[in-house]
Amino acid sequence: MQGENHQIGPGSAGETGARTGGARRSRSRLGPEGIAERLRSVQPWKGRVVHWRTAAARPARTRSWPTGLDPRLVDVLQRRGVAEPYAHQAEAIERALAGEDVLVATPTASGKTVCYTAPVLQSLLESGGTARSLFLYPTKALSQDQTVGLTALVEELVEHHGDSSGARDWHAFTYDGDTPPSVRRTLRDRGHMVLTNPYMLHQGILPNHAKWAELFRELRYIVVDEVHTLSGVFGSSVANVLRRLVRIARHYGADPRFLASSATVADPEAHAVRLFGREVSVVDEDASPSGKRIFGVVEPPVVNAVAGLRANALELARDLAQEVAGPGHQTIFFCGRRTAVEVLTRYLKESASRLGLKPSEIRGYRGGYLPDMRREIEAGLKSGEVKVVVSTNALELGVDIGALDVAVLVGYPGSQASFWQRAGRVGRRGRASLVLQIARSEPVDQFLVHHPEYLFEAPREKLGVDPDNLVLLSEHVKCAAFELPFHGEESAVGEVALRGELEFHDAPHVPEILDYLAEESGFLHRRDDAWYWMADAYPAQDVSLAGGDIDNVLILEQGTERAIGETDRESSITTVHEGAIYQVQGVTWRVERFDYKNRRAYVTEVESDYYTDAQTDTEVRVLRLEERLGRDLAPVDDSSAAPDYDAWRGEVHVTTVATIFKKIRFYTRENVGAGDIHLPPEELDTESFVLTLSEEAADQLGLEGGDRGSAWRAVGELLRRVAPLFVRCQPSDLGLSSHVKSPHFGRPTIFLYDRVQGGVGLSELLFQAHRDLFGAALDVVSRCSCELGCPACVGPVAEVGPQGKAVAMRLLAHLAGGAVPTERDPEEGLADDDAGGWDSNEDSYAQAPRGAATEGL
Amino acid sequence: MGSGQESTRGKLARLRRDREGDPSAQPPAQRRGVPDWLAGHLARRAASRPAGPEEESGASADHGWVRTCGDPAGLTVESNLFGPYAVRREEVAVSGFSHGSFTLAEVEHAAPGAIARLACDPGLSSIDLRRAVFLDTETTGLSGGAGVYVYMVGLGWFEGERYVSWQGFLRSPGEEAAMLQAVAEIVGRADHLVSFFGKSFDRHRLEDKMRIVGVEPPFDGQPHLDLYHPMRRLTRGALMDGKLQTMERELLGFHRARDLPGRLAPAAWFDYLAGRPHLLEGVFEHNREDVLTLTVLAAHLGRAEVELRADGEALPGPVAQRARALMETSSSREEKLEWAERALRRGIDGEDRRRILVVRAHLLRRLGRVDAARLAYREALEEAVDDPAAVELFLGASMLLERPIGDRGNALAMAQRAARLAADIGRPRSVLAKIERRVLRLSSATTG
């Protein structure tokens, strides 16, 4: 029966015990190095792993503890086995003690925590226990982990230095939505270290700052963990929340410093400066040791040479599990989508016995699971009971699960930072680790197959953060005005500027926004040079930090009302519409009823041999064009120059409606049915990067006939998919809409828009980098080995037609080459200047541009 | 009031006129604004825009107040280290001033013991209403948070033979610190604070705002009588709701000539600040009367134990509920039993009656009055056999039968009934287990 080294996991039930025994014994000796060796030498893997790289083990660089650090703290840290800190830790602590704002940007598991806990505890020792600190974590789980860690440190301080430290009364508390109201008061008055998240700070703490007066008066440090997660809309919003936080702290007479940590990102300093609105001292030389690390890039085999079709990455991951999963070590699979996590978990559980595992040793993990289940899986990973976990990016952050051995990334996660965070999940001290990146049939993944060096060189992605985004700024100025009045002063020339508002001082248009809120919206009252909140409303309630964080949809079992999981509102229309199959840990539930208004989906458990995939339809309307770069075609003869292409940046209104869903059978992935979806549309006001091609250029490049639309669409899809190389986002953060003849422009048009309410500035970054985008897209197509198009480049020939690949390549070569476009008037050459396109009917756009295009020349 | 009869059409026409004639309703002629696209964006997102003036005036039909313009009448400007602030102060002679059927002089006769007992707060056992300050606030909203202004603080206190009504008012948000400082001084001078729902609301609003503007809050350590809880205890089930206005009508016989609904208070101040015609006169009056009601209601509470007014007349108010309240707050079994009997005699009904029947039976058993207890359990069970309360009755009867009476067989039968009913109505597992232990013990004892 079961081997003696078996741990009986929960729910093992022994049903696979007998069958598992042999495989289990034989597989229990697998280790990262052995696995790598086998993959290198045995077909078919030998041919599929197209790139190997090994990073040698690296010893630690240590230094002595900074002389300014309290000897009692040094003692406690040394008792924990840290005789001397790594050089980067010592450096960070030293700078913090010198009163600088510090950002530590080093990889996962390099010991960042002590860089801020040491200065925080030092401030408590120095102040005799009056100093306070606020910690911000991107997730609840992280703040709970850290509360436990801080409490333990304080206890050790008391244990070894009892009376002299005064630490007996220091408390670290988690303050989040789960904190019972009965303890909130104690926590407000007695919490020396308050650990919370940006949402709670935004909606709970700042609007009620009087209740937190004790904290604000003595606030020394604001610790912000994992700042690389603070990008995009979310990051830009959090930057404004931090402005509000510092403004309130200053009101109470405090002048807190920032202590921040980040994964390795491009130019962490620039990111921190934008986020915190001040100069920040960056420590980014990792001095921690690491074991030998082996990386491999795996390319799925071509299964249809004519169509250029490669095997599905998820199927490949399933096959790869045969090699990389086993009872003697721990393996983590990272998937991009929640559905993929569930499908792969199901596959692996079903083949558990061949892996020498019990199904209960294989777990899925993703956002939307209930907290208890997540805690249980985390504990199982830490204790070693869970051998295989299939996760979304939910395990990318610093949730404490201990170090694992093998990581398989099913598809490129969209950014180097994510790649390294995921890779950082493996590697125990003194042991080799293995990271395998499976390339999907996606342009970015294929690009990486051909340019693996991209993964390993210094990160290039910029973190898109724009605290001065006027929409977000206005919302947070409104929240800030609720918290404390704004004061201005009039200059000699009659301009009103903010007085003493250091935090919002550099932000554009703040007095104008305040006036708008006073005069048009009626939220504020302006008297003399001050603006006061003057409405019976609680503005933070209506301001979301990032799309969908508040309006979650709860998934309940029909009849019992038991909670099964939750999902954000945006994805709800495609995941919990009526008829959808919702999966949790391989169990399938059918959605019986979706109460969209009340955000409840009711499900019943079913034995389903298929899952569902919903499709959406999207319409983009131009609201306003703000910037434009354009160029002319080289004159063919003496005729006047004709326009070529234009790149634009502007605002659009996007309407998305879920239309139908397909039923897809597990394993075979055949389509076994479909159904209609009846849900209200999702509306989005956002910013877009727009590419238009003149009719003349289109003619010249042969963008015509039946291939015209598909080649143009393929170009759009390529641009969307290579965008993560230049902008920190997922392809799914960008919406795409392409038209052969857009009603607004009357010519071939591609919209790439921010898929977040209000926009976050991704489109601006794309606008600036659009030439590089063309180059990268061209690179993908021209290096692709297929003849007439494949999913890895422009799409299979069946979709783009026999000329599709050639036309798309010609288009991209044309766009990427030639003269650099120059700035132009965004409205010039377009009809209806006054209406900005908002109210005009389609007829008027359709004919106007042509004539108008030459008019201004 | 003519507005009560005004037709909808007429009302709309008038509102439109008012709005057009109101200069602040027009967009300012010249303004250095936000970029147009942003204005458009903000306008689109203005779904949560606060109520405009037309909505408030639409509801103004029957509260009896007309709008006035500019500063409210009768304000005097005082100042302290934080700057100037405005106050409306009125004094009346205590003797002879009546509020409904009560006079202010009746606070003399309020018994501190009764107040402390019914408020369940021993800290009030030496309360002297003549040395207390009575407080009620008007704010710009109930949502809480730093953006809510306490724009009016009504205080009342006794000064010898005179009663002072003091209303601090913000003519602009900038006067907040000065006005709150004045409030803190007055409240801090008093021995006790009296409010209605103030422990949950007014105190925290004031404390928060004081912290924000740097005024030391006076509340910590000061005994606070929040009338809401004891008055609710005295009247629950007899009055339609727990509102101050209901209590003053039913207990004090005070009927307001005209009253501005509290929900219009925020808009009244917003209108005033914006220079629009406003309803602040109504708010001042409403607030002043609220504070007077607090004062007299405290006097009423102080007589609840003896149930007589100072002049020997019966104290107004629901008597059965009062007996229930006194039962709940009794300190000895004998007294509790007495008030339970009175509550029953006075016709307490419904769930209260069943609950009191249970209490009475248990009390009689504990006091060792076996026959009376047996009768009481029987009577109670007749009325409440299907009631959840019957679990307690079966159990109590079982105990009575077992110990003083010595009828183990019937004691077991009673315990079994309790077990069955408890299981049927889904009592918590711990309760079921306790009953089960009893059943087991009795059945083993019976068979043995």
Short mmCIF file of all heavy atoms in Angstrom, two decimals, chain B residues 260-292:
data_model
loop_
_atom_site.label_atom_id
_atom_site.label_comp_id
_atom_site.label_asym_id
_atom_site.label_seq_id
_atom_site.Cartn_x
_atom_site.Cartn_y
_atom_site.Cartn_z
N LEU B 260 -39.25 72.09 11.24
CA LEU B 260 -38.48 71.81 10.03
C LEU B 260 -37.90 70.39 10.15
O LEU B 260 -37.16 70.10 11.08
CB LEU B 260 -37.33 72.81 9.92
CG LEU B 260 -36.69 72.83 8.54
CD1 LEU B 260 -37.60 73.53 7.55
CD2 LEU B 260 -35.34 73.53 8.61
N PRO B 261 -38.23 69.53 9.21
CA PRO B 261 -37.68 68.17 9.30
C PRO B 261 -36.16 68.20 9.29
O PRO B 261 -35.54 68.97 8.54
CB PRO B 261 -38.20 67.49 8.02
CG PRO B 261 -39.33 68.34 7.55
CD PRO B 261 -39.07 69.72 8.05
N GLY B 262 -35.54 67.38 10.12
CA GLY B 262 -34.09 67.38 10.28
C GLY B 262 -33.34 67.17 8.97
O GLY B 262 -32.25 67.68 8.78
N ARG B 263 -33.96 66.44 8.05
CA ARG B 263 -33.24 66.14 6.80
C ARG B 263 -33.03 67.39 5.95
O ARG B 263 -32.23 67.37 5.02
CB ARG B 263 -33.98 65.06 6.02
CG ARG B 263 -35.28 65.50 5.43
CD ARG B 263 -36.12 64.35 4.88
NE ARG B 263 -37.52 64.69 5.02
CZ ARG B 263 -38.15 65.51 4.19
NH1 ARG B 263 -37.51 66.04 3.17
NH2 ARG B 263 -39.42 65.80 4.38
N LEU B 264 -33.78 68.46 6.27
CA LEU B 264 -33.59 69.69 5.49
C LEU B 264 -32.48 70.58 6.06
O LEU B 264 -32.12 71.60 5.47
CB LEU B 264 -34.90 70.50 5.43
CG LEU B 264 -36.07 69.80 4.74
CD1 LEU B 264 -37.28 70.72 4.67
CD2 LEU B 264 -35.68 69.36 3.34
N ALA B 265 -31.95 70.16 7.21
CA ALA B 265 -30.94 71.00 7.87
C ALA B 265 -29.68 71.21 7.01
O ALA B 265 -29.19 72.33 6.91
CB ALA B 265 -30.58 70.42 9.23
N PRO B 266 -29.13 70.14 6.39
CA PRO B 266 -27.91 70.38 5.60
C PRO B 266 -28.14 71.42 4.50
O PRO B 266 -27.37 72.37 4.36
CB PRO B 266 -27.60 69.01 4.99
CG PRO B 266 -28.22 68.02 5.91
CD PRO B 266 -29.46 68.71 6.43
N ALA B 267 -29.23 71.25 3.76
CA ALA B 267 -29.48 72.14 2.63
C ALA B 267 -29.71 73.58 3.10
O ALA B 267 -29.36 74.54 2.40
CB ALA B 267 -30.69 71.65 1.85
N ALA B 268 -30.29 73.74 4.29
CA ALA B 268 -30.55 75.09 4.78
C ALA B 268 -29.23 75.86 4.88
O ALA B 268 -29.14 77.02 4.48
CB ALA B 268 -31.24 75.03 6.15
N TRP B 269 -28.22 75.20 5.40
CA TRP B 269 -26.93 75.88 5.56
C TRP B 269 -26.24 76.07 4.22
O TRP B 269 -25.64 77.11 3.95
CB TRP B 269 -26.05 75.09 6.54
CG TRP B 269 -24.87 75.86 7.04
CD1 TRP B 269 -24.87 77.10 7.60
CD2 TRP B 269 -23.50 75.43 7.01
NE1 TRP B 269 -23.60 77.47 7.94
CE2 TRP B 269 -22.73 76.47 7.59
CE3 TRP B 269 -22.85 74.28 6.57
CZ2 TRP B 269 -21.34 76.38 7.73
CZ3 TRP B 269 -21.47 74.18 6.72
CH2 TRP B 269 -20.73 75.24 7.30
N PHE B 270 -26.31 75.04 3.35
CA PHE B 270 -25.70 75.17 2.03
C PHE B 270 -26.31 76.36 1.29
O PHE B 270 -25.62 77.15 0.65
CB PHE B 270 -25.90 73.90 1.18
CG PHE B 270 -25.27 72.66 1.76
CD1 PHE B 270 -25.75 71.40 1.42
CD2 PHE B 270 -24.19 72.75 2.63
CE1 PHE B 270 -25.16 70.25 1.94
CE2 PHE B 270 -23.60 71.59 3.16
CZ PHE B 270 -24.11 70.35 2.81
N ASP B 271 -27.63 76.49 1.38
CA ASP B 271 -28.31 77.61 0.72
C ASP B 271 -27.82 78.95 1.28
O ASP B 271 -27.54 79.88 0.54
CB ASP B 271 -29.84 77.50 0.91
CG ASP B 271 -30.44 76.41 0.04
OD1 ASP B 271 -29.80 76.00 -0.95
OD2 ASP B 271 -31.56 75.96 0.36
N TYR B 272 -27.72 78.99 2.61
CA TYR B 272 -27.27 80.22 3.27
C TYR B 272 -25.88 80.62 2.79
O TYR B 272 -25.63 81.75 2.39
CB TYR B 272 -27.29 80.01 4.78
CG TYR B 272 -26.45 80.99 5.57
CD1 TYR B 272 -26.90 82.30 5.81
CD2 TYR B 272 -25.22 80.60 6.10
CE1 TYR B 272 -26.12 83.19 6.53
CE2 TYR B 272 -24.44 81.48 6.83
CZ TYR B 272 -24.88 82.78 7.05
OH TYR B 272 -24.13 83.66 7.76
N LEU B 273 -24.96 79.63 2.77
CA LEU B 273 -23.58 79.93 2.38
C LEU B 273 -23.49 80.37 0.93
O LEU B 273 -22.69 81.22 0.57
CB LEU B 273 -22.69 78.69 2.57
CG LEU B 273 -22.40 78.31 4.01
CD1 LEU B 273 -21.60 77.02 4.05
CD2 LEU B 273 -21.62 79.41 4.74
N ALA B 274 -24.37 79.80 0.11
CA ALA B 274 -24.32 80.13 -1.31
C ALA B 274 -25.06 81.43 -1.61
O ALA B 274 -25.14 81.85 -2.75
CB ALA B 274 -24.93 78.98 -2.11
N GLY B 275 -25.62 82.04 -0.57
CA GLY B 275 -26.31 83.30 -0.78
C GLY B 275 -27.73 83.13 -1.29
O GLY B 275 -28.35 84.08 -1.76
N ARG B 276 -28.24 81.92 -1.21
CA ARG B 276 -29.62 81.68 -1.65
C ARG B 276 -30.57 81.89 -0.48
O ARG B 276 -30.16 81.84 0.68
CB ARG B 276 -29.76 80.24 -2.15
CG ARG B 276 -28.93 79.91 -3.38
CD ARG B 276 -29.29 78.53 -3.91
NE ARG B 276 -28.76 77.46 -3.08
CZ ARG B 276 -27.67 76.75 -3.37
NH1 ARG B 276 -26.97 77.02 -4.46
NH2 ARG B 276 -27.26 75.79 -2.57
N PRO B 277 -31.85 82.10 -0.75
CA PRO B 277 -32.84 82.13 0.35
C PRO B 277 -32.80 80.78 1.07
O PRO B 277 -32.65 79.76 0.42
CB PRO B 277 -34.17 82.32 -0.38
CG PRO B 277 -33.82 82.82 -1.73
CD PRO B 277 -32.47 82.30 -2.06
N HIS B 278 -32.90 80.80 2.39
CA HIS B 278 -32.66 79.57 3.15
C HIS B 278 -33.68 79.39 4.26
O HIS B 278 -34.45 80.30 4.58
CB HIS B 278 -31.25 79.63 3.75
CG HIS B 278 -31.04 80.84 4.62
ND1 HIS B 278 -31.49 80.91 5.90
CD2 HIS B 278 -30.43 82.04 4.34
CE1 HIS B 278 -31.18 82.10 6.40
NE2 HIS B 278 -30.54 82.81 5.48
N LEU B 279 -33.64 78.22 4.88
CA LEU B 279 -34.60 77.87 5.93
C LEU B 279 -33.95 77.84 7.31
O LEU B 279 -34.41 77.14 8.20
CB LEU B 279 -35.20 76.49 5.61
CG LEU B 279 -36.14 76.45 4.40
CD1 LEU B 279 -36.36 75.01 3.95
CD2 LEU B 279 -37.47 77.10 4.75
N LEU B 280 -32.88 78.63 7.50
CA LEU B 280 -32.16 78.55 8.77
C LEU B 280 -33.01 78.95 9.98
O LEU B 280 -32.80 78.44 11.07
CB LEU B 280 -30.88 79.38 8.72
CG LEU B 280 -29.70 78.71 8.02
CD1 LEU B 280 -28.53 79.67 7.92
CD2 LEU B 280 -29.28 77.43 8.74
N GLU B 281 -33.96 79.87 9.78
CA GLU B 281 -34.82 80.24 10.92
C GLU B 281 -35.49 79.00 11.48
O GLU B 281 -35.59 78.81 12.69
CB GLU B 281 -35.87 81.28 10.51
CG GLU B 281 -35.35 82.72 10.45
CD GLU B 281 -34.69 83.17 11.75
OE1 GLU B 281 -35.15 82.77 12.84
OE2 GLU B 281 -33.69 83.92 11.68
N GLY B 282 -35.93 78.15 10.58
CA GLY B 282 -36.57 76.91 11.00
C GLY B 282 -35.60 76.00 11.74
O GLY B 282 -35.98 75.34 12.71
N VAL B 283 -34.35 75.99 11.29
CA VAL B 283 -33.36 75.13 11.93
C VAL B 283 -33.07 75.63 13.35
O VAL B 283 -33.00 74.85 14.30
CB VAL B 283 -32.06 75.05 11.11
CG1 VAL B 283 -31.04 74.16 11.82
CG2 VAL B 283 -32.33 74.52 9.71
N PHE B 284 -32.91 76.95 13.49
CA PHE B 284 -32.67 77.53 14.82
C PHE B 284 -33.79 77.14 15.78
O PHE B 284 -33.54 76.72 16.91
CB PHE B 284 -32.57 79.06 14.73
CG PHE B 284 -31.15 79.54 14.53
CD1 PHE B 284 -30.69 79.88 13.26
CD2 PHE B 284 -30.29 79.68 15.61
CE1 PHE B 284 -29.40 80.34 13.08
CE2 PHE B 284 -28.98 80.14 15.43
CZ PHE B 284 -28.54 80.47 14.16
N GLU B 285 -35.02 77.30 15.30
CA GLU B 285 -36.16 77.03 16.16
C GLU B 285 -36.21 75.53 16.52
O GLU B 285 -36.40 75.15 17.67
CB GLU B 285 -37.45 77.45 15.45
CG GLU B 285 -38.72 77.28 16.24
CD GLU B 285 -38.77 78.15 17.50
OE1 GLU B 285 -37.89 79.03 17.65
OE2 GLU B 285 -39.68 77.94 18.33
N HIS B 286 -36.01 74.70 15.51
CA HIS B 286 -36.03 73.25 15.71
C HIS B 286 -34.97 72.84 16.75
O HIS B 286 -35.25 72.09 17.67
CB HIS B 286 -35.74 72.58 14.35
CG HIS B 286 -35.45 71.12 14.41
ND1 HIS B 286 -36.45 70.17 14.32
CD2 HIS B 286 -34.28 70.43 14.54
CE1 HIS B 286 -35.89 68.96 14.40
NE2 HIS B 286 -34.58 69.10 14.53
N ASN B 287 -33.79 73.39 16.61
CA ASN B 287 -32.69 73.05 17.50
C ASN B 287 -32.94 73.54 18.93
O ASN B 287 -32.72 72.82 19.89
CB ASN B 287 -31.39 73.65 16.93
CG ASN B 287 -30.19 73.44 17.84
OD1 ASN B 287 -29.82 74.32 18.59
ND2 ASN B 287 -29.59 72.25 17.77
N ARG B 288 -33.48 74.76 19.03
CA ARG B 288 -33.75 75.32 20.37
C ARG B 288 -34.80 74.46 21.09
O ARG B 288 -34.67 74.15 22.27
CB ARG B 288 -34.23 76.75 20.24
CG ARG B 288 -34.19 77.56 21.53
CD ARG B 288 -34.76 78.95 21.31
NE ARG B 288 -36.16 78.91 20.85
CZ ARG B 288 -37.20 78.90 21.67
NH1 ARG B 288 -37.02 78.95 22.97
NH2 ARG B 288 -38.42 78.84 21.19
N GLU B 289 -35.82 74.07 20.35
CA GLU B 289 -36.89 73.27 20.96
C GLU B 289 -36.39 71.87 21.31
O GLU B 289 -36.78 71.31 22.33
CB GLU B 289 -38.11 73.22 20.03
CG GLU B 289 -38.77 74.60 19.94
CD GLU B 289 -40.12 74.58 19.24
OE1 GLU B 289 -40.30 73.73 18.35
OE2 GLU B 289 -40.98 75.42 19.59
N ASP B 290 -35.51 71.34 20.49
CA ASP B 290 -34.92 70.03 20.81
C ASP B 290 -34.19 70.09 22.15
O ASP B 290 -34.32 69.20 22.99
CB ASP B 290 -33.92 69.60 19.73
CG ASP B 290 -34.60 68.88 18.57
OD1 ASP B 290 -35.85 68.75 18.59
OD2 ASP B 290 -33.89 68.46 17.63
N VAL B 291 -33.42 71.15 22.36
CA VAL B 291 -32.65 71.25 23.60
C VAL B 291 -33.59 71.42 24.80
O VAL B 291 -33.38 70.80 25.85
CB VAL B 291 -31.63 72.41 23.52
CG1 VAL B 291 -30.91 72.58 24.85
CG2 VAL B 291 -30.61 72.14 22.41
N LEU B 292 -34.65 72.20 24.62
CA LEU B 292 -35.63 72.35 25.71
C LEU B 292 -36.29 71.00 26.02
O LEU B 292 -36.49 70.64 27.18
CB LEU B 292 -36.71 73.36 25.31
CG LEU B 292 -36.35 74.82 25.58
CD1 LEU B 292 -37.33 75.74 24.86
CD2 LEU B 292 -36.36 75.10 27.09
#
